[in-house]
Amino acid sequence: MSEMPPDLQPETENAAGHVPVLRAEVVSLLVLVPGMRVIDGTFGGGGYTRAFLDATEPNGQVLALDADPAAVARGQVIVAEYGARVVVREANFATMATVAASIGWQPGTVDAIALDLGLSSFQLAEAGRGFSFANDGPL
């Protein structure tokens, strides 16, 4: 089997963090420009959050939410890198309006919202989390 050229290979995790498969497409469809406020309602590995921050620099902001405390803990790396431009909170995306208001984002001040409703590879990889199909673990 021949190896795919690098520009055609699916995007995967790298040293900088998780890279979602449809990152470029989502960023393009959201038509992000500098200064926008974006909510990433399903932070996960932070791949979309990082892309949104890059696309809205130098002064765009991202509110990243995830119900999984492990995801929020992983998010601290992005907070350290991007500073006040990103806020990561442990919360379900259903509460995004309340969480946005708690950081001073009033209704009508959010420019884009993204939800990646797929499976979390981080949760599937750890049998002890109870999501694995391949390994024994608690339900």
Side-chain angles (χ1 to χ4, degrees), residues 56-81:
T56 62
E57 63 184 358
N59 57 344
Q61 299 173 306
V62 175
L63 170 58
L65 308 176
D66 204 296
D68 183 352
V72 174
R74 280 191 303 274
Q76 299 316 303
V77 172
I78 294 176
V79 171
E81 184 177 342

Side-chain angles (χ1 to χ4, degrees), residues 9-123:
Q9 291 180 358
E11 298 177 81
T12 58
E13 290 183 54
N14 61 33
H18 177 72
V19 179
V21 175
L22 297 174
R23 178 183 63 182
E25 293 82 355
V26 169
V27 170
S28 174
L29 288 169
L30 291 176
V31 192
L32 301 177
V33 297
M36 283 184 146
R37 280 186 173 167
V38 181
I39 296 177
D40 180 352
T42 50
F43 176 78
Y48 283 120
T49 291
R50 187 179 298 279
F52 300 158
L53 288 161
D54 291 343
T56 62
E57 63 184 358
N59 57 344
Q61 299 173 306
V62 175
L63 170 58
L65 308 176
D66 204 296
D68 183 352
V72 174
R74 280 191 303 274
Q76 299 316 303
V77 172
I78 294 176
V79 171
E81 184 177 342
Y82 290 89
R85 293 186 53 220
V86 61
V87 175
V88 180
R89 292 285 187 266
E90 183 179 333
N92 186 290
F93 61 81
T95 65
M96 72 175 69
T98 302
V99 178
S102 77
I103 65 167
W105 291 15
Q106 300 307 313
T109 66
V110 173
D111 300 296
I113 297 171
L115 301 174
D116 179 358
L117 300 176
L119 293 170
S120 169
S121 59
F122 292 101
Q123 292 171 340

